[in-house]
Amino acid sequence: DQQVKQNSPSLSVQEGRISILNCDYTNSMFDYFLWYKKYPAEGPTFLISISSIKDKNEDGRFTVFLNKSAKHLSLHIVPSQPGDSAVYFCAARDMEYGNKLVFGAGTILRVKS
Amino acid sequence: NAGVTQTPKFQVLKTGQSMTLQCAQDMNHNSMYWYRQDPGMGLRLIYYSASEGTTDKGEVPNGYNVSRLNKREFSLRLESAAPSQTSVYFCASGETGDQPQHFGDGTRLSIL
């Protein structure tokens, strides 16, 4: 049973526009959420995170929104750049199990120039 | 800055062979993790070590063993490799609290 779901396998966006990547979760014990970016043949790189006590966190072009009642988070990238083309993974920490993370299946983002 | 270093980067094994994947981190993190990534799936936790001297099973531990050699090093062993273990293996390290895990670049393992 997937506890973290990224329902869009891929997303294509024009350079300069907004990219919105979505993630849904089922476990109400998740208390910390992260987004990782992954290029081919490299490991995932941490992008941005948000604690369950917040509903928004912003870092430059990247903003993460958390809607706890809907068990939904999203990553906004504005403006999108060709270098943002990568696989994006949503991850959640289960507070019952320390720092163990549960990952979604990933969304491939393609930014067209 | 090395961060998390994994060796080897690629390996091909025959069914039944054994292999140890090595991982070392230079960030003085207490916790270390082994994940596997398969096509169409996210990273799945195999084993983790919350601190030096401790190890625990993750989501998919069958067919694997681990050793936390010291604070820096955490190895993953396949005793008798099976084709189902063909995957990309990632090692990560991190700290407690609201801190991200940091990943190595992976070991691409093929078992024929």
Side-chain angles (χ1 to χ4, degrees):
Chain A
D1 182 31
Q2 279 189 299
Q3 297 186 70
V4 177
K5 295 182 182 180
Q6 293 178 255
N7 291 319
S8 298
S10 64
L11 175 67
S12 186
V13 171
Q14 197 68 34
E15 181 180 5
R17 299 289 185 96
I18 184 171
S19 295
I20 300 176
L21 294 94
N22 294 302
C23 180
D24 296 299
Y25 62 95
T26 58
N27 189 337
S28 59
M29 299 304 290
F30 290 154
D31 67 338
Y32 180 59
F33 302 88
L34 309 91
W35 285 95
Y36 282 86
K37 176 180 179 179
K38 185 183 179 304
Y39 292 119
E42 294 184 9
T45 302
F46 170 69
L47 193 56
I48 192 169
S49 63
I50 187 166
S51 167
S52 59
I53 63 173
K54 297 184 176 180
D55 56 16
K56 177 182 175 181
N57 188 27
E58 192 171 358
D59 183 1
R61 297 186 297 114
F62 303 92
T63 303
V64 56
F65 296 93
L66 176 62
N67 183 333
K68 284 183 65 179
S69 60
K71 293 190 175 65
H72 177 85
L73 68 155
S74 61
L75 174 68
H76 293 209
I77 306 173
V78 183
S80 301
Q81 299 174 353
D84 295 330
S85 297
V87 179
Y88 289 78
F89 290 101
C90 169
R93 182 182 68 191
D94 189 334
M95 63 188 298
E96 286 193 304
Y97 294 96
N99 260 19
K100 288 170 59 177
L101 296 180
V102 179
F103 282 82
T107 297
I108 300 170
L109 174 65
R110 297 187 185 90
V111 180
K112 299 176 290 185
S113 56
Chain B
N1 296 333
V4 179
T5 302
Q6 293 184 235
T7 55
K9 294 189 185 302
F10 304 93
Q11 186 70 47
V12 178
L13 294 177
K14 294 181 179 179
T15 298
Q17 288 186 315
S18 61
M19 167 110 196
T20 299
L21 309 186
Q22 308 286 353
C23 175
Q25 53 97 4
D26 63 3
M27 294 172 283
N28 203 36
H29 288 157
N30 282 305
S31 302
M32 297 186 73
Y33 310 84
W34 276 105
Y35 294 88
R36 60 178 288 174
Q37 186 195 6
D38 300 297
M41 304 183 74
L43 283 74
R44 292 183 293 167
L45 184 64
I46 304 171
Y47 269 93
Y48 68 102
S49 171
S51 61
E52 188 178 354
T54 69
T55 60
D56 284 288
K57 295 179 180 179
E59 182 185 356
V60 288
N62 291 343
Y64 305 96
N65 285 300
V66 291
S67 295
R68 184 73 183 267
L69 305 172
N70 48 56
K71 191 172 186 178
R72 289 188 64 248
E73 298 172 288
F74 188 39
S75 63
L76 179 71
R77 183 161 178 83
L78 288 71
E79 290 290 351
S80 178
S84 61
Q85 294 178 305
T86 293
S87 188
V88 182
Y89 291 84
F90 290 102
C91 177
S93 70
E95 279 298 354
T96 55
D98 289 352
Q99 298 294 327
Q101 293 177 16
H102 299 268
F103 286 82
D105 282 340
T107 294
R108 284 146 189 83
L109 185 61
S110 293
I111 298 156
L112 307 177

